[in-house]
Amino acid sequence: NAGVTQTPKFRILKIGQSMTLQCTQDMNHNYMYWYRQDPGMGLKLIYYSVGAGITDKGEVPNGYNVSRSTTEDFPLRLELAAPSQTSVYFCASSYTANTEAFFGQGTRLTVV
Amino acid sequence: GENVEQHPSTLSVQEGDSAVIKCTYSDSASNYFPWYKQELGKRPQLIIDIRSNVGEKKDQRIAVTLNKTAKHFSLHITETQPEDSAVYFCAASSRDNQGGKLIFGQGTELSVKP
């Protein structure tokens, strides 16, 4: 039982490039979330999903896109990377909105 | 939408003292309030949570209280130890028409001095 797995762990992007952050969970959780954590700041919700085929915007969705074609996977797409997207990205999952959320190990992204 | 405010942003205590972190939330329909601990360079992990039908919950040296009327909840750590040093996040589950989402506060960096 691996829990929540994110790839890659580290990435450096050039301005204007695009990439996909991968997230998969093996706990059969319905809810999945993407957060970003800037230095000294809290966790800001980018997008979330309550089940396969359903996604919705969080607090800071601009510049990102998501999809949820399966229960297990919730990839986050960055189009036209900007320096403001330099951050640590965490994926999380939970059975419902009112149960423990389990986090992946994070992806440290730098845009230069 | 839901907003969660957390105070203080930094907290320094002596080993053995108590630490209190406070959060307020805006959505009166929120009904789940977890607290997460994040050690340096690691992922956040749940340490305690409380639901809206309960006013207080304890787990050894950690307790959480909830005041639904005032829309605030607090984390209490007693007999602090150096290993309690970390960033602590409160969160609230915000209900919406698709089932809810988890919104976090800004975090409190707790430093316990030996």
Side-chain angles (χ1 to χ4, degrees):
Chain A
N1 193 336
V4 180
T5 302
Q6 289 181 236
T7 56
K9 292 183 180 179
F10 305 93
R11 183 71 186 268
I12 298 175
L13 275 183
K14 293 184 178 180
I15 295 171
Q17 288 185 321
S18 61
M19 76 165 292
T20 299
L21 281 67
Q22 301 291 344
C23 177
T24 187
Q25 53 93 7
D26 61 0
M27 297 174 282
N28 200 32
H29 284 167
N30 295 314
Y31 284 67
M32 295 189 75
Y33 312 85
W34 274 106
Y35 293 91
R36 59 176 288 172
Q37 184 175 31
D38 298 326
M41 302 293 286
L43 296 155
K44 290 293 186 183
L45 182 64
I46 305 171
Y47 271 94
Y48 70 106
S49 169
V50 302
I54 305 171
T55 63
D56 205 355
K57 296 178 180 179
E59 301 169 282
V60 290
N62 292 343
Y64 307 94
N65 276 301
V66 294
S67 60
R68 183 95 182 271
S69 57
T70 67
T71 298
E72 295 79 18
D73 300 307
F74 190 42
L76 178 71
R77 179 81 176 166
L78 279 73
E79 303 282 2
L80 297 174
S84 61
Q85 292 178 306
T86 293
S87 191
V88 178
Y89 292 83
F90 285 100
C91 177
S93 74
S94 63
Y95 185 62
T96 70
N98 296 344
T99 53
E100 179 178 1
F102 293 85
F103 283 78
Q105 74 272 38
T107 295
R108 184 174 296 275
L109 175 67
T110 302
V111 181
V112 297
Chain B
E2 175 72 282
N3 186 49
V4 179
E5 296 287 335
Q6 182 173 348
H7 299 281
S9 57
T10 61
L11 180 60
S12 181
V13 300
Q14 288 295 132
E15 182 177 0
D17 287 351
S18 295
V20 180
I21 302 170
K22 299 181 179 182
C23 290
T24 59
Y25 61 98
S26 61
D27 187 353
S28 58
S30 293
N31 57 5
Y32 176 63
F33 308 93
W35 286 87
Y36 285 79
K37 176 183 181 181
Q38 186 181 30
E39 296 177 346
L40 189 62
K42 298 194 174 180
R43 71 191 79 186
Q45 292 191 296
L46 181 75
I47 55 172
I48 194 167
D49 57 13
I50 191 168
R51 288 178 171 78
S52 58
N53 59 346
V54 175
E56 184 176 2
K57 184 177 179 180
K58 288 184 179 180
D59 183 4
Q60 298 183 357
R61 296 186 297 109
I62 295 173
V64 58
T65 58
L66 171 65
N67 184 327
K68 287 175 56 180
T69 303
K71 290 192 285 187
H72 68 70
F73 56 113
S74 300
L75 177 71
H76 304 253
I77 306 174
T78 59
E79 300 173 21
T80 54
Q81 300 167 4
E83 52 265 37
D84 293 329
S85 295
V87 178
Y88 291 81
F89 293 98
C90 64
S93 175
S94 172
R95 303 292 300 176
D96 62 19
N97 60 2
Q98 290 198 349
K101 54 191 174 185
L102 196 59
I103 301 297
F104 283 81
Q106 299 89 333
T108 297
E109 183 174 3
L110 174 65
S111 175
V112 180
K113 298 182 178 180

